[in-house]
Amino acid sequence: QVQLVESGGGLVQAGGSLRLSCAASGLAFSTYAMGWFRQAPGKERNFVASISWSGRTTDYADSVKGRFTISRDNAKNTVYLQMNSLKPEDTAVYYCAASRGRYTQFDSYEYPYWGQGTQVTVAS
C-alpha cells in the first residue's frame, strides 16, 4: 500500500520560509518522479514543482520559480519543498504526489498516488 505523508506546513508571515517534507512508503521511491501541487480554497489543484527519479531534473510553475526548490533524498524515501519569500497568494493546501514514471510531469493525472495534504498559510 502506497503512503505519502506530508509535514512541515503552518502559518508564516509574508517573506518568510517553510520547508515541506513528504515521506513515502510502499513504492520503489527511487524509480518514481515526484511532484508538489497546491489547492487554494475555491480553486482547482495546481502544479507547483516536479523532480525526476534521480533528482537531476526539476520543473516549476512560473509563479514559484526562483522562490521554491524541490529536492529528494532517495535514501530516506523523502521529497522536500523549500519555500522562500512566501507571499499571501501561496496560501493553500500542499499535496505531495508520486508519478507514473521517472521524469517530471506537470499534469495531475500523471500522478496516481497522493498524500493527504498539509496547510500552508501566509499572513500579510
Side-chain angles (χ1 to χ4, degrees), residues 27-87:
L27 77 169
F29 180 79
S30 63
T31 67
Y32 284 73
M34 299 295 293
W36 286 96
F37 290 75
R38 66 186 182 186
Q39 187 168 19
K43 297 189 177 181
E44 61 183 24
R45 191 173 300 187
N46 290 324
F47 170 79
V48 174
S50 181
I51 187 166
S52 65
W53 64 280
S54 65
R56 294 193 191 100
T57 303
T58 57
D59 284 303
Y60 297 93
D62 287 343
S63 59
V64 307
K65 277 181 183 176
R67 300 189 298 123
F68 290 12
T69 303
I70 188 172
S71 61
R72 66 189 296 158
D73 185 338
N74 286 343
K76 295 183 178 180
N77 286 5
T78 301
V79 62
Y80 305 97
L81 185 68
Q82 178 66 45
M83 305 186 295
N84 298 330
S85 302
L86 282 162
K87 305 175 182 179

Side-chain angles (χ1 to χ4, degrees), residues 7-13 15-21 36-38 48-49 60 64 66-70 80-87 90-95 118-122:
S7 61
L11 173 64
V12 64
Q13 293 293 316
S17 298
L18 281 174
R19 188 195 196 201
L20 305 184
S21 298
W36 286 96
F37 290 75
R38 66 186 182 186
V48 174
Y60 297 93
V64 307
R67 300 189 298 123
F68 290 12
T69 303
I70 188 172
Y80 305 97
L81 185 68
Q82 178 66 45
M83 305 186 295
N84 298 330
S85 302
L86 282 162
K87 305 175 182 179
D90 294 318
T91 295
V93 176
Y94 283 71
Y95 296 91
T118 186
Q119 176 70 47
V120 171
T121 303
V122 184

